[in-house]
Amino acid sequence: IEKTPINEIIKINYSKFAVYEDCPHKYSLIYNYQFKYSDTIKVSYGLLIHDILNKIHRKYKNSQLNIKKISEIIEESFKHNPDTNIEDFHTKQNMINIIDYWIKYGSKYKIIGSEVPFNIRTENYELNGKIDLIIEKEDGTLKIVDFKNIHSKKAKIQKKEFKKQIYLYTYALKEDSYYNKYEISEGS
């Protein structure tokens, strides 16, 4: 009896792809056998920061925000997260960092989209994800921003990986009927 191959479409996102590219065995342990990351709290904290930034960007896209409103968004998010203590030094420092980011950068952006979903489907795979932030620059081109919640030394080491992610996001936007009319000039 001859077996017919099953043409199964692989569903993946960039994070899973990066884990597989780094180590196929690690990918199998995590995604096939449900082994847990040892740094679950770090991942949870990173997701919390992303969520806060997304709330701020979405509110700002539709209206002006002042520091008081941003502080309220940050405090509410930290208060409702069981993994954080609002009185903790690191939590307070991150709250200050988010406000500092907003003053120096975020408030100056022309935000086009925040946590923008994409889905690239081919005959063999389906690649999906969310782009943290898309901004329009003064020259009318787009910049893709991907936030990382890691130490700057580690970021320097992983710069090549981050570039791959930005290239993927650029490709996803070029495949999107809304964003493909824009030139994408930058990613960070």
Side-chain angles (χ1 to χ4, degrees):
I1 298 176
E2 192 175 313
K3 290 186 178 182
T4 307
I6 299 171
N7 290 339
E8 183 179 338
I9 294 176
I10 298 168
K11 293 183 180 186
I12 196 162
N13 59 39
Y14 185 80
S15 296
K16 289 180 180 179
F17 171 76
V19 170
Y20 183 83
E21 189 177 52
D22 179 51
C23 179
H25 182 66
K26 179 179 178 182
Y27 175 91
S28 183
L29 290 173
I30 294 169
Y31 297 107
N32 295 334
Y33 298 105
Q34 285 70 47
F35 278 66
K36 299 288 182 206
Y37 280 109
S38 61
D39 57 355
T40 305
I41 291 175
K42 286 182 187 175
V43 171
S44 173
Y45 203 79
L47 293 172
L48 173 64
I49 300 296
H50 269 74
D51 183 58
I52 291 169
L53 291 172
N54 182 41
K55 286 176 184 173
I56 292 169
H57 292 135
R58 286 183 184 240
K59 285 192 188 283
Y60 176 70
K61 186 178 176 188
N62 299 319
S63 65
Q64 292 295 92
L65 285 177
N66 59 37
I67 299 303
K68 184 177 186 243
K69 286 182 184 176
I70 290 174
S71 295
E72 289 170 3
I73 292 168
I74 295 168
E75 282 187 40
E76 278 300 306
S77 297
F78 275 105
K79 277 183 191 174
H80 290 99
N81 186 299
D83 294 329
T84 60
N85 174 358
I86 203 153
E87 299 302 322
D88 177 68
F89 170 78
H90 295 292
T91 300
K92 286 182 179 183
Q93 189 60 51
N94 276 307
M95 294 168 82
I96 292 167
N97 290 345
I98 293 169
I99 292 169
D100 190 47
Y101 151 78
W102 184 255
I103 292 167
K104 288 181 181 174
Y105 306 105
S107 63
K108 295 168 181 59
Y109 290 155
K110 180 177 179 186
I111 297 171
I112 303 299
S114 178
E115 292 294 326
V116 176
F118 67 87
N119 190 315
I120 302 168
R121 189 179 178 107
T122 70
E123 190 177 305
N124 300 318
Y125 66 87
E126 183 176 328
L127 183 62
N128 57 54
K130 290 184 181 180
I131 300 170
D132 292 347
L133 185 64
I134 302 170
I135 58 174
E136 185 175 336
K137 295 172 54 176
E138 287 183 16
D139 63 4
T141 63
L142 297 184
K143 177 179 179 178
I144 298 169
V145 179
D146 188 65
F147 296 104
K148 300 293 183 198
N149 190 31
I150 61 172
H151 193 276
S152 60
K153 286 181 184 176
K154 191 173 181 182
K156 287 177 185 176
I157 294 167
Q158 292 183 325
K159 193 171 186 173
K160 186 177 173 184
E161 287 303 313
F162 299 156
K163 260 187 169 176
K164 286 181 191 177
Q165 191 171 8
I166 295 297
Y167 289 145
L168 172 68
Y169 291 171
T170 301
Y171 175 74
L173 291 183
K174 289 188 181 293
E175 293 293 307
D176 184 278
S177 61
Y178 177 78
Y179 292 102
N180 67 5
K181 62 186 173 219
Y182 291 97
E183 179 186 339
I184 299 157
S185 63
E186 192 177 346
S188 63

